[in-house]
C-alpha cells in the first residue's frame, strides 16, 4: 500500500525518470502515459524505493525500465502474478502493474480476472492500442471487428472485449478509462487510481502510430469525451452504459466501491490465526506432531 | 488392513501408528484407495518395528480383511507374507482360502465375528476398533497406549462415543484372548520416548517454514496438496501469507514476485503443474531471483496416475525450459529428508539467486513415518543484500568471481534497479549483443561451481569395496537399503550410491564410487530410464553397467532389488565357475 | 548496405535480391535492425552468386554506407572484406577512413554524393535507388533486371513514382560510370531461369499446406510470426481455418482438438511459447493425437534475445514434460529444408500418432534464400483410419506390434470412443494399475523403433575417411559446409555429420560416421552444449572428442569453423612432427 | 453444428450412455447433470458419431467418459481450447464442453473469456459446486467469502465471481443458470443451450455432497426459483439483476442475442478469400514466390 508521503525530499516528476532512452516509436501513445505517470507519482510524492512497477512483455511493458523505482519487466502475460507476489508479501510497497492489451487481455486475461476478484492491492494501468505492437501488428482482443491487421488479411472475424466492462464483472473496485492524448485527464485518473485502496484498473487508450496509422489517434481524439457529471459510479448497471461504446470514448471513473482489499483481509486472517496468542515457532509446530495421549 | 468405505480402515491405521509412535516404535504407514472419489474400498498398511526401517515392506505379517471383495481390488498392492496371520470377518459373503492367497502351511487363517462383536458392543460401525482389540490380544500390541489412542480419537467430541469405542475394543480383546496366542508373531519391545509421526509433504512444508519461507503461492494438485494446506494453516501464525492462485503459472509468478520483493518464497506442485511452470522458471534464472519449487512426482505423462508414485519428472526438472537456463535440482529420499532437502533448497536458492527444484514423490510425500524430533534441525542461509558501501555504486548483476552479486530489495534507497527477462548487462539494461549474452551466460553458469563444491550431499551405503554397486535416487533409497542389509547377511558385497544433489551432480563422488565397485547397477522407476540417461550426460558408465528400470504405479519393492542382487551374484558365480 | 531509418536499406536489399533471383542467381539475404521498434538503424546483407551458396558469408565484398554513425551500431555484425569496395555518402557528417575499418591497400574507398544525386533527380528520398544505380554501373549488376524490379516496386501504385525512381537509378548509373570500373569485383554470369525467393518461415508454412494441414492455431512470437501470418492468408483459400488464440496454451490445445477431430493441424512458436506448450504436448503423447509444432529458436533463456538466433531449445524439445513422454524432434538446416522437415513432421506425426517438433531458428527462419521450384516436392502420408472390419470390434488403443493402431474420427459410426490424459487401457478407459501403465508405456515407446528405421534422414559431407569429423545440427550446416570446401581446397580431409532426425536419433549412422573419422569435433550454438550432452545420452563419444560451443546472438560464421579446422590440423601436424 | 435429426433410429436417453460406471460419490450433483444431458440429447436426437464432448480435469470433467459420443477428458483447464479445435476444424460436429468451476473459472478462465468473445460454436456446461472436488475440497473462485475449506482454515478471504455475469461481459451470446437438483429445468435449459448457434454458457449449480456437506444441496434447493417471466433477455443491464445473488438462485435464461457465430464468420472469410475464384493450390502458391517482372 502507498507509503505515507514523506515531508522531505519533495519529488518532482523528473525524479522518477531513469536515464534509459525509450525504444518507442516517435509519436507512440505510450510516451503520454509515461509522462502522466511521472506527474501522478510526483503529485502523490510516492517514495521511489517503496514503489515497484511490474509489467509483462510488449512495447508498453518496456515502461518499468523508464521509471526510477524498483522495476520488473517480466514475461508476457504475467505482470499481475508477479505484482501479486510483491503486493501480498510486502504490504508496505506501492505496486503498479502496467502492460498492453495483448499482455493483459490475451495471454494474461486470467490473471486480470483473479487479481481484480481478490481486490489485490495493485494499480493496473493497461495501455490499449488495439494491436500487438512489439510483434509488428497482429490482431488483439480489443481490435475492432473487421479491421485488417497482419493476422487478419480478410478483416478481423472476432468481436472485441471492453476491458472496463471486464474489470467490473471481475470484481474490480475501481475502474476508469483514459486517453493518452489527454495528458491532464490521464494524470488525474492515474492519481485517483493510485489513491484507491484495492484493485484499481485504468484502461488508457494509447495509440500505436506504427501499426494503427495516424487515424487511430485522430479518431480516438475525436471520440474522447468525459463521462457526464452525476454518473452513479456505485452501480454496475450504470457503468455498463459506458462500455462497448462505438461512436464515443467516455473517459473518467466508470465504477468505484470501497471494500476491504486483499491485504486488509489477509491482515484479519493473521489476527484470527494468532487469536491474540504469540506467533507460532517451528519447534512449537513440530510438537503438534507428537502423539499426545 | 483392507475394507470397504465406511469400515474405518484409515482410522484403524491411524490409531495403530499413533500408538506405535507414542511408544517410540519406528512406524511407516501408507494408505491406498480405489478409483471412487469416496465410499470406495480402502487399504492401510502399518509397519511397526523397534529397529530402524526404511521402507513400507513388501509383504504384511498380519492381514485383517473386512471384505474379501475389496481385498481383490488391491491385487498386487497388499500382499500377505507366506506365513502371515490372516483375520477375516466370518460374516463376509465372499469366501477365500489360504490357497487362494498362496499362503504356506505355517500361515494362520482365522475367522473372526467382527460385525457381530461390534453389534453386541452396541457400536455397529466399530468393526475397526474390534479388530484392533483382537490384534492387540492376539499378537501382543501396546494395549494401554492403543486404549488411550482410541479414547483420544473417539472421546474428542463426545465422551460417550469414546466409551462405546473402548467397549468395542475390549470385546475384541476378550475374543482375541480366546484364540491361541500368536505373540511370537507380534513385536516385543520396551516402550521408548514418543516419536513424531509425519508425512513427507508435511516435512517439506515444515522445512520451508524453518528456512524462513514467509510467502507461499500454490495451486492444489495431488499428491502435493498437503504442502499448500499446511502452509495455509501455519504461515499466518508466523506472519507470512499464502495465496491459492488461479493456476500454476500464477503460483510460480507470485513466488518470483515475492522473492523479488525480498521475501523467501516457494510453491509446491506435481508433474502437470511443474510443466506449466517451465517458462517462469526461465525468468527466475535470467533475472536471478531465488525461488523454490517442490515437485511431488506422480505417474505420467499428462494426467497419468495422479495417486501413484513414479520417478519420471527428472528430465523436466533438469532440462526443461527454452534457452540455456541453469537451475538446481535436489532429491528427497524419505520423510525426514523432505525437511532437509527443502531447507537446503532455500539455502542454495537464496545464496546463489537461482531457482531450486526439490523432487520428492507420492510414496515419500504421502506416507507417514516416525521421526526423532531432535533431527529436525538444519543450518539456514540468508540472501546477501548490498552493504552501504556496495550501494554507493550498485550494479544488480555485477560480474563477480562466484557469479552472483548482492541483491537489493524494495526499501533500499540506493538499491533501486529495473530488471527483466531479456538478456541484459550488469545494470540490468536490455542488451541483445552476442558479447553481452556470452558474458552473462557465463556469469549465470559460473554459480554452479561453488554450488557443486559447497553442496555435496550424497549417501553411500555398504562396504568400501563391493562386487556390485547400486546407483539410484530419491524414494528408491528405502528398498535398496533394506535389500543391502539382506545381501550383507548373505555375505554379498553390495554398495549403494544415492545422491541428494541431482543438478549440479556430485560427479567426483560418483566416479570414486564407480571405481570402488566391480559392476554397476542403476535402479529407477522410469520407463524411459531418465536417471540412467541423465548420468550418461556427464559421466562415462562402465560398458557392463546393469539397468533395472520400470514404470511407476507401484513403489520399488525390496524383493525387486533383492532379486537383482541375487541374479547378479548367481551369474557372476557361474562366470567364476566357468573361469575355474 | 547500412543506413538510418528511412534510408530505404531494406527496399534496396529487396530489389537487389529479387533481381538476382529473377536472373537465376543464388541469393541469400539477411536484415538486421537496432533496438528501436521503428525508425532505428537498419542493415541488409545480400549475397549473390552463380554457384551454390550455403551461408550469408562472413564479410561483404561491396559495402554501401549511408550513415557511418549507424554503421557503428552494427559493430561485428556487418564486416567488410579486407579488399572490399566501400561506397559512402560524401555528405555524411561523420567521417571514417579505410584504416578505421581495418581494410587493406587493395580495398576501394569511394565517396559518393548519394543525397545530392537523389535531390537532383527530384527524388530526395531515393538515396537507396541511386545507390543501386552506382553499384550496377560500378561492379556490373544485371542492369535491365534491376530496372524492371525498381519499376515494379515503385510503379505499383503510381506510375509517376516509378518513373522518378528510375530517374534516380539512372543518375546513379551515370555517376557510377564516371568511376574507375570495378567489374572484376562484381559477378559475371549468364542469366538463367528465375528462382523462388523465400524465407525459412514461409517454407515451413508451405510445407504444412503441402502436407495437408488444414487447421492452424497460433499466437504471435518473434521470430516465428511469419508462419502464422502466412497460414492466416492462405489456409482460407484452401478451405482451411486459422485461429489466433489468446495464448500458446490455447494454440496447442486447439491443434490437438482439431487433430482429434481428424484434421491435420499445427502451430508455430519460439522458445517461450514452446515452454508454455510443455503440458499439452504430454496429453498429445498420452492420448496419441498427432500434432506438429514448429519452434523457430531464438536466444534464451526467458525473453532473452528475441530477434537473434541460438540452438538452445534442444533440451526443451527432446526432454521437457513430466512423465515418460515420447515425441519426435526434427531439425531444419536451411530454407528449403524447412519445407521438407515440416512435411516429414506431418508424415511421422500422422502415421505414428504422436507429437512432432520441428526445430528451426531465427537465422534460417527469417533469411531469404533462392530455391529451385522443382525441389519443393515431398511424399505425403496420411493417418490410418479403421476399416469397416476393424470398426466391428474397435479398440482405440489396441496394442499392436508397431505400437500404433487405426484412429477413428468423428463421423465414423462404429468408431466412437472416449479418451483422456489419464493412463488408460486399450479401450481408453482410465486405469491406474502398474501393469496397465507398464504395458501402455511400452506401447507408446514401441513406436520409436519403426520411426527410427523408416526415417533416417542424415546428411554426410566430405570424404569417406577423414582426419576430422564434424558433428553439428540445424543452421550450423551452412557455415560448416562452406568451411569443408575451404579445407578440401587445402587438401585437408574433413567430413561432417548433420542429422535431420534429432529424436529418435540415427544412432547407427552416427556410429558409422564416428568410425570413419580419426577425431570428432562437435559444433553448436549453445552455451550449455545441449547437443553435445544430448549425444552422450545414447552414444559414447571418443575420449578425445573436441567441442566448439558458444552462446547465440551471432550466427555461426564460416571463419569460426575454418579456425577450428586449421587449429586441429596445425596441432595434429605438430603431433606428427613430434612423433617423427 | 448440430446434425439434422435423422428420421431413424430415434435415440432414447439410454442410447447416449456408456457402460463405464461413474466414479462420482453417491449423491453427487453431477449425476443429475449427466441424466439431464442424456435426455436433452435424445430430445434433439443428436447423432452420437457427429457429437463430441470435451472436458478438462475434475470430478465433473469425468463426464465425457459416460456419454456415448466422441469424448475427450483432456487436461485441467483446457476443455475450451480443445473444443475450439474440434468446432472450427469440423463445423459438422456438435461440440459440447463440460467441466467444473476450478477447471473453467480458475485455471481455464482465460479460455472461457476468449471462447465466449469469439462466439465459438460450442455449448459450455459448467458444473459449479463452489469447491475443488477431485482434489478433496479446496477453495474455488465460486466459493463464498468466509467459507472454510481445506485451503481456507480461517475462512475464504476472497470474493467469488458469478460465472453468468462473467459470461455476459465476455460476450457470450446465450447465458443460462440451472440447478442440477431440478432435473426438468436442467433438461429444458440444456436443450435451449444446445439449440443456440454460437457460444452458449450454462452454469449448473451441482452440489458436492462430500466436501460441501448436505447443506449445500438444501440451501441451493431453497434458494432456487425461475427468473420472473417477462425478463428482457436482450439487455446486459437487465441480466445484471440476476447476478451476484445471495438469497435467491435465479434459474433460466439470463441473456440471449443472435449474432453470427465464429464458424459463420470464418465461412464468410473463406468466401471472400476465394472471391469466387478456384481454391488455391500449393504449386499455385509457390509461383507467387517467383519474381515476376
Ligand atoms: C509466451 C510469449 N508469447 C508470445 C510472445 C511475443 N510477444 C511479445 S509482446 C506480444 C504482444 C504485444 O502486444 P501488447 O501486449 O498489446 O503490447 P504492445 O506492444 O501493443 O504495447 C507478443 C505476442 C512472448 N514474448 N512470449
Ligand atoms: C495442471 C493441473 N493442475 C492441477 C491439477 C489438480 N486438479 C485436478 S482437478 C482440480 C480441480 C477440481 O475442481 P473443479 O474443476 O471444480 O472440478 P470438480 O472436481 O469440483 O468437479 C485440480 C486442481 C491438475 N490435474 N492439473
Ligand atoms: S510499435 Fe506502436 S506501440 Fe510499439 S512503440 Fe511503436 S507506436 Fe508504440
Ligand atoms: S467429491 Fe464432490 S464433486 Fe466429486 S464426485 Fe464426490 S460429491 Fe461429486
Ligand atoms: Mg497492444
Ligand atoms: Mg468444482
Amino acid at each position: 500500500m502507498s507509503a505515507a508521503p514523506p515531508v522531505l525530499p519533495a519529488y518532482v516528476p523528473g525524479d522518477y525518470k531513469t536515464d534509459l532512452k525509450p525504444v518507442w516509436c516517435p509519436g507512440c501513445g505510450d510516451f503520454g502515459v509515461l509522462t502522466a505517470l511521472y506527474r501522478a507519482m510526483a503529485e502523490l510524492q510516492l517514495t521511489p524505493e517503496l514503489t515497484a512497477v511490474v509489467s509483462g512483455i510488449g512495447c508498453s511493458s518496456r515502461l518499468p525500465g523508464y521509471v526510477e523505482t524498483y522495476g520488473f519487466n517480466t514475461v508476457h502475460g504475467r505482470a499481475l502474478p508477479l505484482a501479486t507476489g510483491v503486493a501480498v508479501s510486502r504490504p508496505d510497497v506501492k505496486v503498479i502493474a502496467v502492460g498492453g492489451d495483448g499482455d493483459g487481455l490475451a495471454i494474461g486475461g486470467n490473471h486480470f480476472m483473479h487479481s481484480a476478484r481478490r481486490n489485490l492491492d495493485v494499480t493496473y494501468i493497461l495501455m490499449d492500442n488495439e494491436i500487438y505492437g512489439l510483434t509488428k501488428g497482429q490482431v488483439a482482443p480489443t481490435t475492432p471487428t473487421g479491421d485488417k491487421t497482419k493476422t487478419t488479411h480478410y478483416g478481423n472475424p472476432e468481436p472485441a472485449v471492453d476491458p472496463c466492462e471486464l474489470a467490473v464483472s471481475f470484481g474490480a473496485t475501481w475502474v476508469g478509462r483514459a486517453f493518452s492524448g489527454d495528458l491532464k485527464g490521464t494524470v488525474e485518473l492515474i492519481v485517483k487510481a493510485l489513491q484507491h485502496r484495492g484493485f484499481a484498473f485504468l484502461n488508457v487508450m494509447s495509440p500505436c502510430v506504427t501499426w494503427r496509422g495516424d487515424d487511430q489517434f485522430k479518431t480516438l481524439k475525436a471520440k474522447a469525451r468525459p463521462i457526464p457529471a452525476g454518473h452513479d459510479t456505485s452501480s454496475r448497471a450504470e457503468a455498463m452504459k459506458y462500455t462497448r461504446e462505438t461512436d464515443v470514448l467516455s473517459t473518467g471513473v466508470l465504477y468505484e466501491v470501497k471494500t476491504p482489499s486483499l491485504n486488509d483481509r489477509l491482515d484479519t486472517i493473521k489476527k484470527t490465526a494468532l487469536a491474540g496468542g504469540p506467533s507460532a515457532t517451528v519447534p512449537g509446530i513440530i510438537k503438534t506432531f507428537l502423539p499426545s495421549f | 488392513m483392507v475394507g470397504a468405505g465406511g469400515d474405518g480402515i484409515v482410522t484403524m491405521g491411524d490409531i495403530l501408528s499413533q500408538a506405535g509412535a507414542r511408544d517410540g516404535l519406528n512406524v511407516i504407514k501408507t494408505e491406498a484407495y480405489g478409483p471412487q472419489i469416496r465410499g470406495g474400498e480402502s487399504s492401510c498398511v502399518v509397519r511397526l518395528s523397534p529397529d530402524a526401517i526404511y521402507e513400507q515392506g513388501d509383504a504384511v505379517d498380519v492381514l485383517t480383511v473386512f471384505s474379501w471383495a475389496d481385498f481383490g481390488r488391491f491385487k498386487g498392492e497388499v500382499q500377505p507374507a507366506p506365513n502371515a496371520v490372516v483375520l477375516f470377518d466370518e460374516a463376509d459373503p465372499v469366501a477365500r482360502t489360504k490357497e487362494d492367497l498362496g499362503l504356506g502351511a505355517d500361515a494362520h487363517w482365522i475367522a473372526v465375528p467382527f460385525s457381530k462383536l461390534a453389534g453386541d458392543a452396541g457400536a455397529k460401525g466399530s468393526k475397526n476398533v474390534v479388530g484392533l482389540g483382537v490384534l492387540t490380544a492376539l499378537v501382543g500390541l501396546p494395549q494401554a497406549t492403543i486404549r488411550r489412542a482410541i479414547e483420544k480419537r473417539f472421546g474428542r467430541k463426545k465422551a460417550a462415543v469414546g466409551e462405546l469405542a473402548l467397549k468395542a475394543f475390549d470385546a475384541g480383546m476378550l475374543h482375541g484372548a480366546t484364540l491361541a496366542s500368536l505373540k511370537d508373531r507380534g513385536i516385543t519391545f520396551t516402550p521408548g520416548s514418543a516419536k513424531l509421526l509425519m508425512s513427507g509433504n508435511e516435512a517439506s512444508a515444515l522445512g520451508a517454514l524453518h528456512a524462513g519461507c514467509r510467502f507461499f503461492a500454490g495451486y492444489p494438485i495431488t499428491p502435493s496438496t498437503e504442502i499448500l494446506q499446511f502452509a495455509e494453516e501455519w504461515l499466518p501464525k508466523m506472519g507470512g501469507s499464502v495465496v491459492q492462485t488461479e493456476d500454476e503459472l500464477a503460483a510460480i509468478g507470485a513466488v518470483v514476485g515475492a522473492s523479488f520483493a525480498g521475501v523467501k518464497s516457494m510453491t509446491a506442485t506435481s508433474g502437470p503443474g511443474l510443466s506449466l511452470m517451465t517458462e517462469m522458471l526461465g525468468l527466475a534464472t535470467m533475472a536471478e531471483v531465488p525461488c523454490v519449487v517442490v515437485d511431488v512426482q506422480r505417474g505420467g505423462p499428462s494426467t497419468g496416475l495422479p495417486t501413484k508414485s513414479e520417478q519420471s519428472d527428472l528430465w523436466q526438472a533438469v532440462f526443461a525450459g527454452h534457452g540455456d537456463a541453469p537451475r538446481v535440482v535436489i532429491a528427497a529420499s524419505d520423510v525426514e529428508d523432505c525437511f532437509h532437502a527443502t531447507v537446503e533448497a532455500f539455502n542454495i536458492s537464496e545464496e546463489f539467486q537461482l531457482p531450486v527444484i526439490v523432487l520428492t514423490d507420492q510414496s515419500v510425500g504421502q506416507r507417514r513415518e516416525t521421526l526423532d524430533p531432535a533431527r529436525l534441525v538444519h543450518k539456514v542461509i540468508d540472501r546477501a543484500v548490498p552493504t552501504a558501501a556496495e550501494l554507493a555504486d550498485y550494479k544488480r548483476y555485477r560480474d563477480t568471481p562466484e557469479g552472483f552479486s548482492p541483491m537489493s530489495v524494495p526499501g533500499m534507497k540506493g538499491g533501486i534497479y529495473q530488471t527483466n527477462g531479456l538478456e541484459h548487462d550488469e545494470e540490468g539494461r536490455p542488451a541483445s549483443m552476442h558479447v553481452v549474452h556470452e558474458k552473462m551466460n557465463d556469469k549465470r553458469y559460473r554459480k554452479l561451481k561453488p554450488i557443486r563444491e559447497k553442496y555435496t550431499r550424497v549417501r553411500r551405503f555398504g562396504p568400501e569395496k563391493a562386487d556390485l554397486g547400486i546407483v539410484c535416487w530419491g524414494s528408491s533409497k528405502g528398498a535398496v537399503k533394506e535389500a543391502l542389509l539382506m545381501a550383507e547377511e548373505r555375505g554379498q558385497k553390495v554398495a549403494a550410491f544415492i545422491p541428494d544433489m541431482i543438478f549440479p551432480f556430485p560427479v567426483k563422488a560418483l566416479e570414486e564410487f564407480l571405481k570402488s565397485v566391480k559392476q554397476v547397477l542403476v535402479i529407477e522407476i522410469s520407463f524411459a530410464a531418465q536417471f540412467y540417461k541423465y548420468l550418461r550426460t556427464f559421466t562415462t558408465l562402465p560398458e557392463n553397467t546393469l539397468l533395472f528400470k520400470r514404470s511407476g504405479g507401484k513403489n520399488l519393492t525390496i524383493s525387486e532389488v533383492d532379486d537383482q542382487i541375487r541374479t547378479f551374484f548367481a551369474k557372476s558365480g557361474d562366470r567364476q565357475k566357468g573361469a575355474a
Side-chain angles (χ1 to χ4, degrees), chain B residues 56-307:
Chain B
Q56 188 60 78
D58 301 356
V60 302
D61 304 313
V62 181
L63 172 68
T64 308
V65 177
F66 291 134
S67 150
W68 285 117
D70 292 310
F71 177 79
R73 301 201 172 87
F74 291 99
K75 204 164 177 331
E77 294 181 30
V78 182
Q79 190 55 46
N83 69 345
V85 176
V86 180
L87 306 178
F88 55 95
D89 194 336
E90 62 175 22
D92 191 334
V94 183
R96 287 275 173 285
T97 68
K98 258 186 180 181
E99 295 62 37
D100 298 336
L101 275 71
L103 299 184
D106 51 351
H108 294 266
W109 192 256
I110 308 168
V112 180
F114 289 119
S115 323
K116 185 173 174 308
L117 291 169
D120 298 351
K124 295 190 92 338
S126 62
K127 264 195 283 187
N128 54 346
V129 187
V130 171
L132 280 171
V134 178
L135 283 176
T136 310
L138 188 67
V139 302
L141 296 173
Q143 182 191 154
T145 322
I146 293 183
R147 290 193 107 247
R148 285 212 303 288
I150 293 174
E151 224 170 337
K152 172 114 191 278
R153 174 63 172 255
F154 295 94
R156 216 190 298 110
K157 294 205 184 57
K158 275 234 243 61
V161 183
E163 279 150 29
L164 253 185
L166 286 178
K167 260 189 72 186
F169 179 72
D170 296 336
M173 287 276 294
L174 282 172
H175 183 86
T178 67
L179 305 165
S181 166
L182 295 168
K183 297 247 187 305
D184 58 311
R185 293 305 188 79
I187 40 170
T188 48
F189 69 102
T190 45
S193 59
K195 288 199 166 73
L196 304 169
L197 192 62
M198 197 181 281
S199 75
N201 283 340
E202 288 162 338
S204 297
L206 198 62
L209 298 191
H210 175 72
C213 172
R214 291 299 176 267
F215 179 80
F216 185 105
Y219 190 73
I221 182 166
T222 307
S224 77
T225 312
E226 296 83 4
I227 302 177
L228 165 63
Q229 292 171 177
F230 185 103
E232 192 276 328
E233 177 173 6
W234 289 102
L235 263 179
K237 294 181 191 267
M238 303 184 83
S241 316
V242 173
V243 178
Q244 180 182 311
T245 51
E246 53 273 28
D247 61 14
E248 288 88 350
L249 304 164
I252 183 68
V255 164
V256 173
S259 183
F260 166 75
V263 177
K264 291 187 182 182
S265 310
M266 87 164 211
T267 185
T269 187
S270 188
L274 188 65
S275 288
L276 288 174
M277 296 179 185
T278 306
E279 191 205 5
M280 186 56 73
L281 285 170
L283 176 65
T285 292
M286 189 62 134
E288 302 188 41
V289 181
C291 63
V292 173
V293 179
V294 174
D295 171 33
V296 185
Q297 299 172 95
R298 63 191 220 183
S302 198
T303 306
L305 296 83
T307 60

Side-chain angles (χ1 to χ4, degrees), chain B residues 548-564:
Chain B
F548 174 75
K549 59 94 183 171
R550 63 160 171 83
S551 307
K554 188 178 85 183
N555 298 346
L556 180 67
T557 63
I558 299 165
S559 53
E560 281 178 306
V561 182
D562 190 51
D563 290 348
Q564 292 295 313

Side-chain angles (χ1 to χ4, degrees), chain B residues 175-503:
Chain B
H175 183 86
T178 67
L179 305 165
S181 166
L182 295 168
K183 297 247 187 305
D184 58 311
R185 293 305 188 79
I187 40 170
T188 48
F189 69 102
T190 45
S193 59
K195 288 199 166 73
L196 304 169
L197 192 62
M198 197 181 281
S199 75
N201 283 340
E202 288 162 338
S204 297
L206 198 62
L209 298 191
H210 175 72
C213 172
R214 291 299 176 267
F215 179 80
F216 185 105
Y219 190 73
I221 182 166
T222 307
S224 77
T225 312
E226 296 83 4
I227 302 177
L228 165 63
Q229 292 171 177
F230 185 103
E232 192 276 328
E233 177 173 6
W234 289 102
L235 263 179
K237 294 181 191 267
M238 303 184 83
S241 316
V242 173
V243 178
Q244 180 182 311
T245 51
E246 53 273 28
D247 61 14
E248 288 88 350
L249 304 164
I252 183 68
V255 164
V256 173
S259 183
F260 166 75
V263 177
K264 291 187 182 182
S265 310
M266 87 164 211
T267 185
T269 187
S270 188
L274 188 65
S275 288
L276 288 174
M277 296 179 185
T278 306
E279 191 205 5
M280 186 56 73
L281 285 170
L283 176 65
T285 292
M286 189 62 134
E288 302 188 41
V289 181
C291 63
V292 173
V293 179
V294 174
D295 171 33
V296 185
Q297 299 172 95
R298 63 191 220 183
S302 198
T303 306
L305 296 83
T307 60
K308 306 243 176 128
S309 209
E310 193 165 83
Q311 298 183 299
S312 56
D313 292 355
L314 181 75
W315 283 345
Q316 168 68 23
V318 175
F319 294 118
H322 63 282
D324 293 318
R327 62 173 169 255
V328 171
V329 180
I330 307 181
S333 53
D334 61 27
V335 171
E336 183 190 316
D337 211 29
C338 288
F339 174 88
H340 297 295
T342 310
V343 181
E344 202 91 304
F346 271 98
N347 289 349
I348 296 173
S349 183
E350 294 290 326
E351 180 172 4
F352 297 95
Q353 299 172 24
L354 78 179
V356 178
I357 295 174
V358 179
L359 291 177
T360 76
D361 62 31
Q362 182 276 334
S363 73
V364 167
Q366 294 193 317
R367 82 169 178 229
R368 294 192 161 278
E369 217 173 292
T370 41
L371 304 181
D372 171 356
R375 296 186 49 79
L376 295 187
V377 288
H378 200 113
K379 179 164 175 296
V380 171
I381 297 176
D382 293 324
R383 189 183 305 185
V385 294
T387 62
E390 286 163 331
L391 286 177
D393 146 40
Y394 184 63
K395 283 188 180 169
R396 168 66 184 98
Y397 300 109
R398 190 178 293 281
D399 197 357
T400 64
E402 286 213 318
F404 63 95
S405 26
M407 180 173 178
S408 63
V409 299
M412 292 188 174
K413 212 162 178 350
I416 285 179
Y417 67 96
Q418 297 82 36
T419 187
N420 51 71
L422 290 145
E423 186 54 280
H424 43 247
D425 60 19
E426 293 183 57
E427 257 116 306
R429 287 145 180 258
S432 66
M433 286 163 73
H434 161 72
V435 284
V436 178
H437 186 33
E438 183 73 35
K439 172 190 161 94
M440 298 307 274
N441 261 338
D442 186 69
K443 173 191 190 291
R444 291 185 291 265
Y445 272 91
R446 201 179 308 144
K447 301 172 180 181
L448 297 177
K449 193 167 170 301
I451 294 173
R452 191 179 258 116
E453 285 158 3
K454 197 164 165 182
Y455 296 90
T456 53
R457 295 178 63 211
V458 299
R459 290 199 178 67
R460 192 195 188 290
F461 303 103
E464 284 196 0
K465 297 256 162 233
D467 296 314
L468 183 64
I470 296 175
V471 180
C472 67
W473 72 285
S475 63
S476 301
K477 187 186 75 179
V480 168
K481 270 182 86 170
E482 303 230 2
L484 249 60
L485 297 177
M486 292 160 69
E488 196 180 353
E489 279 172 15
R490 293 194 298 267
Q492 297 167 329
K493 287 194 171 326
V494 187
F497 179 91
I498 306 168
D500 293 333
M501 287 296 286
I502 298 298
F503 185 86

Side-chain angles (χ1 to χ4, degrees), chain A residues 23-31 58-60 129 131-134 136 206-212:
Chain A
V23 294
W24 296 324
C25 306
C28 174
D30 296 348
F31 282 106
C59 294
S60 42
N129 55 10
I131 196 81
Y132 286 7
L134 188 62
K136 303 184 182 297
S206 179
C208 170
V209 296
T210 301
W211 307 113
R212 297 289 286 166

